[in-house]
Amino acid sequence: MTSPLRVARPFLGALALLATPLGAQGQSSSDKPPMRAEDLITTPRLGSPVVSADARYAVYPVTETDPESYERESVFYLRSLTDADAAPRRLDLGGSASSLAFGDDDWLYFLSDRDRAGAGAQVWRAKLDTAGNLGTPTQVTTLDNAVGGFAVSPQGDKIAVWADLPRDCESFGCEQGKDKDSVGDGRLYEGDGGFVRHWDSWATPGTLSRVFVFDLAQGRADGEGTAIDGPAGANALVGDTPTKPFGGGEDVAWAPDGNGLYFVARESGAEEPTSTDLDIYWSDLSGGAPVNLTDANRAYDALPTPSPDGQYLAYVAMARPGYEADRQVIQLRDMKTGVVTPLTQDFDRSFGSLAWTPDSRWLVATAGDVLDTPAYRIDPRNGAVERLDLMAGHEAHIGNVVPLGSDRLLFTRDSIGAPAELFLARDWQQAMPLTDVAATRTGRLASTMTTRFSFPGANGDTVWGQITRLENQTGPIPAILYVHGGPQGSFNDSWSSRWNPRVLASQGYAVISIDFHGSTGYGQTFTDSINRDWGGKPLEDLKLGLAAALREDRQIDGSRACAMGASYGGYMMNWIAGQWPDRFRCLVQHDGIFDLRSFYYSTEELWFPRWDFGGSYAQNSALYERWNPVNHVEEWQTPMLVVTGMKDFRVPYTQGIASFTALQERDIPAQLLVFEDENHWVLGAENSLQWHQTVFAWLDRWLKQ
């Protein structure tokens, strides 16, 4: 058992952030205004940078939101990577643009639907000269189908493009349409098919995300294209590339010599909703069947990342089939011998990104580690792992890492206190900021401070948490217990455009988050510990963590507290309502499970409940019922705001309606907020504003009396 540890750090200045109290929620000495929901929603958002072949320039997107109309658009900036004093320059791409990527010849490729009259995007490109000037864009593809994404070969002589297409299409321009013999608008699904619906979309039987490769002749796609999944028919590969629902360009990787393509796919079919078996395939671009390089592993394989010298293929793999939160170990495949080495087998963290240095000497990867997501330098010769110290203070959340040469790293960094900015590190040392996308803007708002603390949780294990509140605020400060989703996840030190501790703290609250048993970033045993114990150790940790936070910060008024959470956090709100009914003045339950039995039979990714509950509902119904909130509604008494999205197929909206019905029947004060066009997340700008306004009003109602 370890003794409690506390680390406090304010977020100040141009690269810091926010907060301010409202009402009678304690006092703050700041003369800056508090962050409002409107500030969060309209704060410019930095996207992933792309780098020119000579590493002289980076181009990055910024999403801007109009404060009046709440309409969003992406704008693009060019930043010198050799001149520390250079100012970013806005680029004019001549129309709509997205998904930018550099070719090795410094042509900047992108998707655009200009001149398409709603027919979808095609690939375009523009030349970037040595002075950083962009030439006139020209069209690369003129395909009958809209292009969903692309990847240009290292030599610039081929391009891979992907889109949703019928599996029996032999060309990218295959005509799609309704069966001439069918009537009505219904979709007919066979019992031995794959997903009926996934995340927020209904499946179209026989249609998959597929990749075709075209030759490039003078910057134009040429020919009919070659399908990398091979011909249709018996024993054909039938699966999505990129994978759905969240796969993208990281699922497709060119060989360094441009003579083939690595790609990720999960086979479609009756087993798809119960399988985490993503595999990495190799296509030699001949049109024949691809080779499954990871067929021996029935679990997850992803992130194919070939070394620039062509000697190795690095990727991540899980060991246990059916478990989506297993540790991702970096694998190294020798491309001459086929021997695979589990490079980071002895390092107990799960890696989520991979990149090689251009000389193939090092791998740079990121992984969660006790509230941070730092970058690591990994030696491919022996698997030695070194955590990089790139930032003063906490690393917080490092992402989008691009090695430049052997001694420079470009990356984004964000934290609870600050949205993402672009940074450049030299000689593997601490980095300097390259952008001011949102730093100055958020620096004009009242600062918050975040205190990290640890305490003995369930079984005496060390559990970590954070308290975020206005920096100079004095008590009494009402408390919000923030419960993360997953459940194998973390409320780590990172910025969020949705569940954002800073904007909530700016309303005058102390936001307390606990990384309970099952959270990530503390070793695989800790992550595994929630298995078959959804309502056990996690609830004990939350109880102990809230008490520990109140001891850490005596300014917090524990008698005025509400709890809120989404997804698993929403489940926990329903569970708390029945298991800890007298602790909180109110609850906010977003997309939470109310009835595990009906959830099992209506969700889409069945591998998830099967792993966490030891089988299907029919196989282990007693365990499902042990942790089922619906069995304890007679104990409910806490006022609850319920939020749900009608396009949420992960936790269908009927779960929210059921919670609301239980509250109504017991005359418990309740509200139900339903979004017709949102999924498991609230993404639309105006909907986000409504979400925040509704949540803030609900909290104020119960905590500011």
Side-chain angles (χ1 to χ4, degrees):
M1 183 182 301
T2 60
S3 60
L5 182 151
R6 179 171 63 90
V7 180
R9 180 167 59 90
F11 299 98
L12 301 169
L15 288 175
L17 287 192
L18 145 95
T20 313
L22 297 184
Q25 308 310 114
Q27 300 295 321
S28 171
S29 61
S30 175
D31 58 358
K32 297 179 180 180
M35 176 176 263
R36 307 165 303 153
E38 292 87 343
D39 298 315
L40 174 67
I41 294 163
T42 60
T43 294
R45 302 177 185 180
L46 174 67
S48 302
V50 295
V51 177
S52 61
D54 60 9
R56 294 182 61 187
Y57 297 102
V59 174
Y60 56 90
V62 175
T63 300
E64 297 181 345
T65 304
D66 186 279
E68 299 296 330
S69 67
Y70 289 97
E71 293 183 357
R72 287 176 172 152
E73 68 168 339
S74 292
V75 296
F76 301 91
Y77 292 87
L78 181 139
R79 176 61 160 87
S80 171
L81 299 177
T82 59
D83 182 355
D85 297 323
R89 189 164 77 241
R90 183 164 174 168
L91 292 178
D92 181 5
L93 292 171
S96 67
S98 63
S99 304
L100 275 62
F102 273 106
D104 272 12
D105 52 3
D106 284 337
W107 283 89
L108 183 62
Y109 293 78
F110 57 93
L111 291 179
S112 178
D113 61 359
R114 66 190 69 183
D115 305 326
R116 291 279 293 172
Q122 295 293 311
V123 182
W124 289 67
R125 72 174 189 168
K127 181 69 173 180
L128 185 72
D129 65 25
T130 57
N133 299 309
L134 203 62
T136 302
T138 59
Q139 193 166 348
V140 177
T141 62
T142 53
L143 302 168
D144 292 336
N145 293 96
V147 176
F150 67 93
V152 181
S153 69
Q155 291 71 29
D157 60 347
K158 299 181 183 70
I159 186 170
V161 297
W162 52 86
D164 286 350
L165 295 166
R167 181 58 184 91
D168 57 3
C169 281
E170 297 180 358
S171 66
F172 196 86
C174 175
E175 182 178 350
Q176 301 182 67
K178 183 175 161 181
D179 186 334
K180 64 181 187 327
D181 296 324
S182 67
V183 295
D185 294 328
R187 297 186 184 93
L188 181 64
Y189 297 94
E190 299 292 344
D192 59 356
F195 285 112
V196 171
R197 59 185 189 175
H198 201 182
W199 187 246
D200 60 5
S201 300
W202 289 90
T204 300
T207 296
L208 303 154
S209 181
R210 301 180 61 208
V211 181
F212 282 72
V213 172
F214 293 84
D215 289 330
L216 285 177
Q218 297 182 335
R220 300 278 291 185
D222 186 45
E224 293 295 314
T226 301
I228 66 169
D229 53 0
N235 301 316
L237 170 61
V238 180
D240 290 299
T241 300
T243 55
K244 292 184 177 179
F246 303 122
E250 73 281 358
D251 284 346
V252 179
W254 281 97
D257 61 9
N259 289 327
L261 210 63
Y262 302 98
F263 65 96
V264 181
R266 175 173 49 221
E267 290 193 49
S268 182
E271 295 183 359
E272 187 177 14
T274 62
S275 172
T276 59
D277 186 17
L278 272 66
D279 280 307
I280 297 172
Y281 293 81
W282 163 256
S283 170
D284 62 6
L285 312 184
S286 67
V291 177
N292 187 344
L293 300 179
T294 58
D295 188 48
N297 183 27
R298 307 308 296 170
Y300 179 95
D301 302 281
L303 299 182
T305 311
S307 61
D309 62 9
Q311 184 176 356
Y312 297 109
L313 176 69
Y315 61 97
V316 298
M318 298 181 182
R320 290 173 282 184
Y323 185 20
E324 68 177 20
D326 202 4
R327 183 162 61 105
Q328 294 188 171
V329 176
I330 297 176
Q331 313 287 322
L332 204 63
R333 181 186 182 94
D334 188 308
M335 296 312 298
K336 289 183 179 179
T337 66
V339 173
V340 177
T341 302
L343 197 63
T344 60
Q345 184 63 46
D346 296 331
F347 186 74
D348 195 14
R349 292 294 183 266
S350 186
F351 289 96
S353 70
L354 289 176
W356 288 92
T357 55
D359 59 3
S360 301
R361 177 62 186 87
W362 303 100
L363 274 164
V364 183
T366 58
D369 182 38
V370 188
L371 300 174
D372 288 321
T373 307
Y376 296 84
R377 184 172 67 175
I378 302 166
D379 192 334
R381 300 171 301 183
N382 55 26
V385 179
E386 176 189 359
R387 176 171 164 152
L388 297 175
D389 181 12
L390 300 176
M391 302 297 302
H394 300 308
E395 296 298 285
H397 179 237
I398 304 292
N400 301 302
V401 178
V402 182
L404 309 173
S406 60
D407 62 350
R408 293 188 298 159
L409 283 180
L410 184 72
F411 61 91
T412 59
R413 188 258 191 185
D414 60 272
S415 67
I416 285 177
E421 298 289 351
L422 194 60
F423 288 81
L424 181 66
R426 299 179 184 275
D427 300 320
W428 308 98
Q429 301 301 307
Q430 291 190 353
M432 59 171 284
L434 295 182
T435 61
D436 183 359
V437 171
T440 295
R441 175 172 173 158
T442 52
R444 298 189 186 106
L445 302 171
S447 315
T448 54
M449 63 180 294
T450 292
T451 302
R452 298 182 177 190
F453 65 98
S454 67
F455 60 93
N459 296 336
D461 298 332
T462 298
V463 176
W464 283 84
Q466 298 181 108
I467 304 167
T468 299
R469 65 175 179 87
L470 290 167
E471 186 202 356
N472 296 314
Q473 189 175 8
T474 58
I477 308 170
I480 305 294
L481 181 63
Y482 237 30
V483 184
H484 70 68
Q488 297 90 353
S490 171
F491 259 141
N492 54 15
D493 192 352
S494 63
W495 186 259
S496 173
S497 59
R498 295 179 292 112
W499 284 69
N500 186 292
R502 180 173 174 173
V503 75
L504 184 55
S506 294
Q507 312 313 304
Y509 299 112
V511 182
I512 301 165
S513 59
I514 306 297
D515 271 2
F516 47 80
H517 277 77
S519 299
T520 54
Y522 306 92
Q524 195 58 43
T525 298
F526 192 83
T527 300
D528 293 347
S529 64
I530 196 173
N531 186 255
R532 309 189 189 195
D533 193 32
W534 266 37
K537 291 187 291 294
L539 179 57
E540 185 177 351
D541 289 339
L542 293 172
K543 291 180 177 181
L544 293 170
L546 178 57
L550 297 178
R551 290 193 300 270
E552 287 290 338
D553 191 337
R554 299 294 183 177
Q555 302 292 330
I556 303 174
D557 180 2
S559 69
R560 289 186 296 154
C562 288
M564 57 190 293
S567 195
Y568 173 83
Y571 159 88
M572 184 53 71
M573 295 304 104
N574 288 330
W575 189 245
I576 283 173
Q579 301 294 319
W580 202 10
D582 57 353
R583 178 60 185 87
F584 298 102
R585 291 192 179 187
C586 74
L587 302 171
V588 178
Q589 187 265 92
H590 184 144
D591 291 338
I593 297 170
F594 172 77
D595 179 7
L596 280 165
R597 180 184 183 184
S598 61
F599 163 77
Y600 178 85
Y601 287 111
S602 57
T603 193
E604 8 83 283
E605 293 182 350
L606 289 171
W607 65 73
F608 169 63
R610 286 189 176 202
W611 181 271
D612 275 21
F613 292 91
S616 68
Y617 182 85
Q619 292 169 330
N620 206 5
S621 60
L623 187 67
Y624 282 84
E625 293 304 332
R626 178 182 179 185
W627 304 122
N628 198 349
V630 71
N631 295 330
H632 304 279
V633 294
E634 293 301 329
E635 305 299 324
W636 284 23
Q637 65 185 50
T638 311
M640 183 186 295
L641 166 64
V642 180
V643 185
T644 190
M646 292 183 66
K647 288 187 176 181
D648 184 358
F649 300 154
R650 183 63 42 86
V651 180
Y653 72 90
T654 50
Q655 294 283 317
I657 291 176
S659 295
F660 189 61
T661 299
L663 294 160
Q664 289 177 300
E665 287 186 341
R666 284 152 187 81
D667 294 323
I668 300 170
Q671 290 184 338
L672 173 66
L673 177 60
V674 180
F675 292 102
E676 292 188 29
D677 296 323
E678 299 289 357
N679 54 34
H680 203 53
W681 304 329
V682 177
L683 301 176
E686 290 183 302
N687 286 344
S688 178
L689 180 60
Q690 184 182 12
W691 185 94
H692 282 89
Q693 290 174 338
T694 303
V695 169
F696 292 170
W698 181 255
L699 298 175
D700 290 352
R701 174 178 170 183
W702 300 103
L703 295 179
K704 293 186 177 180
Q705 297 176 355

